[in-house]
Short mmCIF file of all heavy atoms in Angstrom, two decimals:
data_model
loop_
_atom_site.label_atom_id
_atom_site.label_comp_id
_atom_site.label_asym_id
_atom_site.label_seq_id
_atom_site.Cartn_x
_atom_site.Cartn_y
_atom_site.Cartn_z
N SER A 11 68.39 28.47 15.35
CA SER A 11 67.26 28.11 14.50
C SER A 11 67.47 26.72 13.91
O SER A 11 68.60 26.26 13.73
CB SER A 11 67.10 29.13 13.36
OG SER A 11 68.21 29.11 12.51
N THR A 12 66.37 26.06 13.66
CA THR A 12 66.44 24.78 12.95
C THR A 12 66.41 25.05 11.45
O THR A 12 65.94 26.09 11.01
CB THR A 12 65.26 23.88 13.33
OG1 THR A 12 64.04 24.56 13.00
CG2 THR A 12 65.29 23.58 14.82
N PHE A 13 66.91 24.10 10.68
CA PHE A 13 66.87 24.27 9.23
C PHE A 13 66.77 22.92 8.57
O PHE A 13 67.19 21.91 9.12
CB PHE A 13 68.10 25.04 8.72
CG PHE A 13 69.37 24.24 8.71
CD1 PHE A 13 69.87 23.72 7.52
CD2 PHE A 13 70.08 24.02 9.88
CE1 PHE A 13 71.04 23.00 7.50
CE2 PHE A 13 71.26 23.30 9.86
CZ PHE A 13 71.74 22.79 8.67
N HIS A 14 66.15 22.93 7.39
CA HIS A 14 66.03 21.71 6.61
C HIS A 14 67.26 21.60 5.71
O HIS A 14 67.55 22.51 4.94
CB HIS A 14 64.77 21.74 5.73
CG HIS A 14 63.51 21.87 6.51
ND1 HIS A 14 62.92 20.82 7.17
CD2 HIS A 14 62.72 22.95 6.74
CE1 HIS A 14 61.81 21.24 7.76
NE2 HIS A 14 61.67 22.52 7.52
N LEU A 15 67.98 20.53 5.82
CA LEU A 15 69.14 20.30 4.95
C LEU A 15 68.94 18.96 4.27
O LEU A 15 69.24 17.90 4.83
CB LEU A 15 70.45 20.31 5.73
CG LEU A 15 71.71 20.13 4.89
CD1 LEU A 15 71.83 21.25 3.87
CD2 LEU A 15 72.94 20.06 5.76
N GLU A 16 68.38 19.01 3.07
CA GLU A 16 68.15 17.78 2.33
C GLU A 16 69.45 17.37 1.63
O GLU A 16 70.05 18.16 0.91
CB GLU A 16 67.05 18.01 1.30
CG GLU A 16 66.72 16.78 0.48
CD GLU A 16 65.58 17.06 -0.47
OE1 GLU A 16 64.79 17.97 -0.20
OE2 GLU A 16 65.48 16.37 -1.49
N LEU A 17 69.88 16.16 1.90
CA LEU A 17 71.10 15.67 1.26
C LEU A 17 70.78 15.31 -0.18
O LEU A 17 70.02 14.37 -0.44
CB LEU A 17 71.64 14.46 2.01
CG LEU A 17 72.07 14.72 3.46
CD1 LEU A 17 72.61 13.44 4.08
CD2 LEU A 17 73.10 15.84 3.54
N PRO A 18 71.35 16.03 -1.13
CA PRO A 18 71.03 15.77 -2.53
C PRO A 18 71.68 14.50 -3.02
O PRO A 18 72.63 13.99 -2.40
CB PRO A 18 71.62 17.00 -3.25
CG PRO A 18 72.78 17.38 -2.39
CD PRO A 18 72.35 17.10 -0.97
N PRO A 19 71.22 13.96 -4.13
CA PRO A 19 71.89 12.78 -4.68
C PRO A 19 73.27 13.15 -5.20
O PRO A 19 73.52 14.30 -5.57
CB PRO A 19 70.96 12.36 -5.83
CG PRO A 19 70.23 13.61 -6.21
CD PRO A 19 70.06 14.38 -4.93
N TYR A 20 74.17 12.20 -5.17
CA TYR A 20 75.49 12.43 -5.75
C TYR A 20 75.36 12.47 -7.27
O TYR A 20 74.68 11.65 -7.86
CB TYR A 20 76.45 11.32 -5.32
CG TYR A 20 76.72 11.30 -3.85
CD1 TYR A 20 76.05 10.41 -3.02
CD2 TYR A 20 77.65 12.16 -3.27
CE1 TYR A 20 76.30 10.38 -1.65
CE2 TYR A 20 77.90 12.14 -1.92
CZ TYR A 20 77.22 11.24 -1.10
OH TYR A 20 77.47 11.23 0.24
N ARG A 21 76.03 13.46 -7.86
CA ARG A 21 75.96 13.60 -9.30
C ARG A 21 77.36 13.80 -9.86
O ARG A 21 78.17 14.50 -9.25
CB ARG A 21 75.10 14.81 -9.68
CG ARG A 21 73.64 14.64 -9.32
CD ARG A 21 72.87 15.92 -9.51
NE ARG A 21 71.48 15.76 -9.08
CZ ARG A 21 70.73 16.74 -8.60
NH1 ARG A 21 71.23 17.95 -8.49
NH2 ARG A 21 69.49 16.52 -8.24
N PRO A 22 77.67 13.22 -10.99
CA PRO A 22 78.99 13.45 -11.59
C PRO A 22 79.13 14.91 -11.99
O PRO A 22 78.28 15.46 -12.70
CB PRO A 22 78.98 12.53 -12.82
CG PRO A 22 77.53 12.27 -13.11
CD PRO A 22 76.82 12.32 -11.80
N PRO A 23 80.17 15.59 -11.49
CA PRO A 23 80.35 17.01 -11.84
C PRO A 23 80.60 17.19 -13.33
O PRO A 23 81.15 16.32 -13.99
CB PRO A 23 81.58 17.42 -11.02
CG PRO A 23 81.73 16.36 -9.97
CD PRO A 23 81.21 15.10 -10.59
N ARG A 24 80.18 18.32 -13.83
CA ARG A 24 80.45 18.68 -15.23
C ARG A 24 81.74 19.50 -15.25
O ARG A 24 81.74 20.67 -14.89
CB ARG A 24 79.28 19.46 -15.81
CG ARG A 24 78.00 18.63 -15.93
CD ARG A 24 76.81 19.49 -16.27
NE ARG A 24 76.53 20.43 -15.21
CZ ARG A 24 75.66 21.44 -15.32
NH1 ARG A 24 75.03 21.62 -16.45
NH2 ARG A 24 75.46 22.26 -14.31
N PHE A 25 82.82 18.88 -15.66
CA PHE A 25 84.15 19.45 -15.47
C PHE A 25 84.31 20.82 -16.13
O PHE A 25 84.66 21.80 -15.48
CB PHE A 25 85.21 18.47 -16.01
CG PHE A 25 86.62 18.96 -15.80
CD1 PHE A 25 87.22 18.86 -14.57
CD2 PHE A 25 87.32 19.52 -16.86
CE1 PHE A 25 88.52 19.32 -14.38
CE2 PHE A 25 88.62 19.98 -16.68
CZ PHE A 25 89.22 19.88 -15.44
N TRP A 26 84.05 20.89 -17.44
CA TRP A 26 84.31 22.15 -18.14
C TRP A 26 83.35 23.25 -17.72
O TRP A 26 83.73 24.42 -17.65
CB TRP A 26 84.25 21.92 -19.65
CG TRP A 26 85.37 21.05 -20.14
CD1 TRP A 26 85.27 19.80 -20.68
CD2 TRP A 26 86.76 21.37 -20.09
NE1 TRP A 26 86.52 19.31 -20.97
CE2 TRP A 26 87.47 20.25 -20.63
CE3 TRP A 26 87.49 22.46 -19.65
CZ2 TRP A 26 88.83 20.21 -20.73
CZ3 TRP A 26 88.87 22.43 -19.75
CH2 TRP A 26 89.53 21.32 -20.28
N SER A 27 82.10 22.89 -17.44
CA SER A 27 81.16 23.89 -16.93
C SER A 27 81.62 24.42 -15.58
O SER A 27 81.51 25.61 -15.29
CB SER A 27 79.76 23.27 -16.81
OG SER A 27 78.85 24.18 -16.23
N THR A 28 82.15 23.52 -14.75
CA THR A 28 82.66 23.93 -13.44
C THR A 28 83.83 24.89 -13.58
O THR A 28 83.92 25.90 -12.88
CB THR A 28 83.08 22.70 -12.63
OG1 THR A 28 81.93 21.90 -12.36
CG2 THR A 28 83.73 23.10 -11.32
N ILE A 29 84.76 24.57 -14.49
CA ILE A 29 85.90 25.45 -14.71
C ILE A 29 85.43 26.84 -15.15
O ILE A 29 85.90 27.86 -14.63
CB ILE A 29 86.84 24.85 -15.79
CG1 ILE A 29 87.42 23.51 -15.31
CG2 ILE A 29 87.95 25.83 -16.14
CD1 ILE A 29 88.29 23.62 -14.08
N TYR A 30 84.49 26.87 -16.06
CA TYR A 30 84.00 28.15 -16.59
C TYR A 30 83.36 28.97 -15.49
O TYR A 30 83.70 30.15 -15.29
CB TYR A 30 83.01 27.89 -17.72
CG TYR A 30 82.32 29.13 -18.24
CD1 TYR A 30 82.92 29.92 -19.22
CD2 TYR A 30 81.07 29.52 -17.75
CE1 TYR A 30 82.30 31.06 -19.69
CE2 TYR A 30 80.45 30.66 -18.22
CZ TYR A 30 81.06 31.43 -19.19
OH TYR A 30 80.44 32.56 -19.65
N THR A 31 82.40 28.37 -14.78
CA THR A 31 81.64 29.15 -13.80
C THR A 31 82.50 29.56 -12.62
O THR A 31 82.34 30.67 -12.10
CB THR A 31 80.43 28.34 -13.29
OG1 THR A 31 80.89 27.08 -12.79
CG2 THR A 31 79.44 28.09 -14.40
N SER A 32 83.43 28.69 -12.17
CA SER A 32 84.25 29.04 -11.02
C SER A 32 85.21 30.18 -11.35
O SER A 32 85.48 31.04 -10.51
CB SER A 32 85.03 27.83 -10.52
OG SER A 32 85.89 27.33 -11.52
N ILE A 33 85.70 30.21 -12.59
CA ILE A 33 86.61 31.29 -12.98
C ILE A 33 85.86 32.59 -13.19
O ILE A 33 86.28 33.65 -12.71
CB ILE A 33 87.39 30.90 -14.26
CG1 ILE A 33 88.38 29.78 -13.95
CG2 ILE A 33 88.12 32.10 -14.84
CD1 ILE A 33 89.14 29.26 -15.15
N ILE A 34 84.72 32.54 -13.86
CA ILE A 34 83.97 33.76 -14.16
C ILE A 34 83.23 34.27 -12.93
O ILE A 34 83.32 35.46 -12.58
CB ILE A 34 82.96 33.51 -15.31
CG1 ILE A 34 83.71 33.09 -16.59
CG2 ILE A 34 82.11 34.75 -15.55
CD1 ILE A 34 84.68 34.12 -17.11
N ASP A 35 82.49 33.38 -12.25
CA ASP A 35 81.62 33.81 -11.16
C ASP A 35 82.37 34.07 -9.86
O ASP A 35 81.87 34.80 -9.00
CB ASP A 35 80.54 32.76 -10.89
CG ASP A 35 79.58 32.61 -12.05
OD1 ASP A 35 79.60 33.49 -12.93
OD2 ASP A 35 78.81 31.64 -12.08
N ARG A 36 83.52 33.46 -9.68
CA ARG A 36 84.20 33.57 -8.39
C ARG A 36 85.58 34.18 -8.52
O ARG A 36 85.85 35.24 -7.97
CB ARG A 36 84.27 32.18 -7.74
CG ARG A 36 82.90 31.62 -7.39
CD ARG A 36 82.98 30.22 -6.80
NE ARG A 36 81.67 29.74 -6.40
CZ ARG A 36 81.42 28.54 -5.92
NH1 ARG A 36 82.39 27.67 -5.79
NH2 ARG A 36 80.20 28.18 -5.56
N THR A 37 86.47 33.51 -9.27
CA THR A 37 87.87 33.92 -9.31
C THR A 37 88.02 35.35 -9.81
O THR A 37 88.64 36.20 -9.14
CB THR A 37 88.68 32.97 -10.20
OG1 THR A 37 88.53 31.65 -9.70
CG2 THR A 37 90.14 33.36 -10.19
N LEU A 38 87.49 35.66 -10.98
CA LEU A 38 87.71 36.98 -11.57
C LEU A 38 87.01 38.08 -10.79
O LEU A 38 87.54 39.20 -10.67
CB LEU A 38 87.25 36.97 -13.03
CG LEU A 38 88.06 36.07 -13.97
CD1 LEU A 38 87.57 36.22 -15.40
CD2 LEU A 38 89.55 36.40 -13.89
N ILE A 39 85.83 37.79 -10.25
CA ILE A 39 85.11 38.82 -9.48
C ILE A 39 85.88 39.17 -8.21
O ILE A 39 86.08 40.34 -7.88
CB ILE A 39 83.69 38.33 -9.14
CG1 ILE A 39 82.84 38.29 -10.41
CG2 ILE A 39 83.04 39.23 -8.10
CD1 ILE A 39 81.44 37.74 -10.20
N VAL A 40 86.35 38.14 -7.48
CA VAL A 40 87.10 38.39 -6.26
C VAL A 40 88.44 39.06 -6.58
O VAL A 40 88.88 39.97 -5.88
CB VAL A 40 87.32 37.07 -5.50
CG1 VAL A 40 88.23 37.28 -4.29
CG2 VAL A 40 85.98 36.51 -5.04
N LEU A 41 89.10 38.62 -7.66
CA LEU A 41 90.37 39.23 -8.05
C LEU A 41 90.18 40.70 -8.39
O LEU A 41 90.99 41.55 -8.01
CB LEU A 41 90.96 38.48 -9.24
CG LEU A 41 92.30 39.01 -9.77
CD1 LEU A 41 93.39 38.86 -8.71
CD2 LEU A 41 92.69 38.30 -11.05
N TRP A 42 89.11 41.02 -9.09
CA TRP A 42 88.86 42.41 -9.46
C TRP A 42 88.68 43.28 -8.22
O TRP A 42 89.22 44.38 -8.13
CB TRP A 42 87.63 42.51 -10.36
CG TRP A 42 87.17 43.92 -10.57
CD1 TRP A 42 86.05 44.51 -10.11
CD2 TRP A 42 87.87 44.95 -11.30
NE1 TRP A 42 85.98 45.83 -10.49
CE2 TRP A 42 87.09 46.12 -11.23
CE3 TRP A 42 89.08 44.98 -12.00
CZ2 TRP A 42 87.48 47.31 -11.83
CZ3 TRP A 42 89.47 46.17 -12.61
CH2 TRP A 42 88.66 47.30 -12.52
N ARG A 43 87.94 42.76 -7.24
CA ARG A 43 87.76 43.53 -6.00
C ARG A 43 89.10 43.78 -5.32
O ARG A 43 89.35 44.86 -4.79
CB ARG A 43 86.84 42.77 -5.04
CG ARG A 43 85.37 42.81 -5.43
CD ARG A 43 84.52 42.17 -4.35
NE ARG A 43 83.10 42.25 -4.65
CZ ARG A 43 82.14 41.80 -3.86
NH1 ARG A 43 82.46 41.22 -2.72
NH2 ARG A 43 80.88 41.91 -4.20
N ALA A 44 89.97 42.77 -5.32
CA ALA A 44 91.28 42.92 -4.69
C ALA A 44 92.12 43.97 -5.43
O ALA A 44 92.81 44.78 -4.80
CB ALA A 44 92.01 41.58 -4.66
N LEU A 45 92.07 43.95 -6.76
CA LEU A 45 92.85 44.90 -7.54
C LEU A 45 92.38 46.34 -7.32
O LEU A 45 93.19 47.27 -7.30
CB LEU A 45 92.77 44.56 -9.03
CG LEU A 45 93.45 43.25 -9.46
CD1 LEU A 45 93.25 43.02 -10.95
CD2 LEU A 45 94.92 43.28 -9.12
N VAL A 46 91.08 46.52 -7.15
CA VAL A 46 90.54 47.86 -6.92
C VAL A 46 91.17 48.49 -5.69
O VAL A 46 91.43 49.70 -5.64
CB VAL A 46 89.00 47.80 -6.78
CG1 VAL A 46 88.45 49.09 -6.23
CG2 VAL A 46 88.36 47.48 -8.13
N PHE A 47 91.44 47.66 -4.67
CA PHE A 47 92.03 48.18 -3.44
C PHE A 47 93.55 48.11 -3.45
O PHE A 47 94.22 48.90 -2.78
CB PHE A 47 91.50 47.41 -2.23
CG PHE A 47 90.05 47.67 -1.95
CD1 PHE A 47 89.08 46.77 -2.34
CD2 PHE A 47 89.65 48.83 -1.31
CE1 PHE A 47 87.74 47.00 -2.09
CE2 PHE A 47 88.31 49.08 -1.05
CZ PHE A 47 87.35 48.17 -1.44
N ALA A 48 94.14 47.19 -4.19
CA ALA A 48 95.59 47.02 -4.19
C ALA A 48 96.29 48.16 -4.93
O ALA A 48 97.38 48.57 -4.55
CB ALA A 48 95.97 45.69 -4.83
N ALA A 49 95.66 48.68 -5.98
CA ALA A 49 96.29 49.75 -6.77
C ALA A 49 96.56 50.99 -5.92
O ALA A 49 97.70 51.48 -5.87
CB ALA A 49 95.42 50.08 -7.98
N PRO A 50 95.56 51.53 -5.22
CA PRO A 50 95.87 52.69 -4.37
C PRO A 50 96.81 52.35 -3.22
O PRO A 50 97.56 53.20 -2.76
CB PRO A 50 94.49 53.13 -3.85
CG PRO A 50 93.58 51.97 -4.06
CD PRO A 50 94.11 51.25 -5.24
N ALA A 51 96.79 51.08 -2.76
CA ALA A 51 97.71 50.68 -1.68
C ALA A 51 99.15 50.80 -2.15
O ALA A 51 100.03 51.23 -1.39
CB ALA A 51 97.42 49.26 -1.24
N GLY A 52 99.41 50.43 -3.40
CA GLY A 52 100.76 50.56 -3.93
C GLY A 52 101.22 52.00 -3.94
O GLY A 52 102.39 52.30 -3.65
N ALA A 53 100.30 52.91 -4.28
CA ALA A 53 100.64 54.33 -4.28
C ALA A 53 100.96 54.81 -2.86
O ALA A 53 101.92 55.56 -2.64
CB ALA A 53 99.48 55.14 -4.87
N VAL A 54 100.17 54.36 -1.90
CA VAL A 54 100.40 54.77 -0.51
C VAL A 54 101.74 54.25 0.00
O VAL A 54 102.48 54.97 0.68
CB VAL A 54 99.24 54.27 0.39
CG1 VAL A 54 99.57 54.50 1.86
CG2 VAL A 54 97.94 54.96 0.03
#
C-alpha cells in the first residue's frame, strides 16, 4: 500500500516532559507486563 508520510518540522524536544512520558507510558507499563509473567516463571 502507499502511504502519506509528511516530514514534520524539526522541533526542540521538551526534556522533562519526555522523561515523564517515556517512563510512565512506556517503561513502567512494559516492565509491569514482564513482572506479571516473571513471577510465576520463578516458581516454575
Side-chain angles (χ1 to χ4, degrees):
S11 64
T12 59
F13 75 103
H14 300 282
L15 182 60
E16 181 177 336
L17 297 181
Y20 295 99
R21 294 171 183 151
R24 293 170 297 170
F25 182 77
W26 293 114
S27 175
T28 295
I29 297 297
Y30 174 85
T31 55
S32 60
I33 290 177
I34 299 299
D35 294 347
R36 295 177 176 176
T37 303
L38 294 184
I39 290 176
V40 174
L41 180 64
W42 170 249
R43 285 186 177 182
L45 292 179
V46 167
F47 290 101
V54 171

